Amino acid sequence: QVQLVESGGGLVQAGGSLRLSCTASGSILSINSMGWYRQAPGKQRELVATITRAGYTNYADSVKGRFTISRDNAKYTVYLQMNSLKPEDTGAYYCKVVQWTDTFWGQGTQVTVSS
């Protein structure tokens, strides 16, 4: 099993910034993709950004140019730098890690953007 611990959420005004972190621990063999998803109240969970072990990134259109995903393979940590935050970015942000054919999720960290 792989455990994920997220941090960095909080309350911020529109236009502000937050940085999320997610660190993996436990039975780590070879983590492939790491990423962030979010879920707003009453909506389905959606992709925010992913990054492969080689550093290839993928972003949702709604966050391109504002969010940056990065990872530190030595620390088994993935980051999400969120700039120019908007009220529609509000939601619970979940870290997702893929190792071989197994997928692991963090428990989520709340991001609230006030207008």
Side-chain angles (χ1 to χ4, degrees), residues 20 43 65 96:
L20 306 183
K43 294 188 177 181
K96 174 185 170 182

Side-chain angles (χ1 to χ4, degrees), residues 8 10 12 14-17 26 37 42 48 57-58 63 66 76 79 82 96:
V12 64
S17 298
Y37 291 69
V48 176
T57 59
N58 180 47
V63 307
R66 300 188 297 122
Y76 308 120
Y79 306 96
M82 305 185 293
K96 174 185 170 182

Side-chain angles (χ1 to χ4, degrees), residues 5-12 16-23 36 66-72 75 77-85 93 109-113:
V5 177
E6 300 137 330
S7 62
L11 173 64
V12 64
S17 298
L18 285 173
R19 189 192 194 209
L20 306 183
S21 300
C22 171
T23 299
W36 292 94
R66 300 188 297 122
F67 292 10
T68 302
I69 190 170
S70 61
R71 65 189 278 177
D72 185 331
K75 296 181 178 180
T77 299
V78 62
Y79 306 96
L80 185 68
Q81 178 66 44
M82 305 185 293
N83 298 327
S84 302
L85 282 160
Y93 282 67
T109 184
Q110 179 67 32
V111 171
T112 302
V113 184

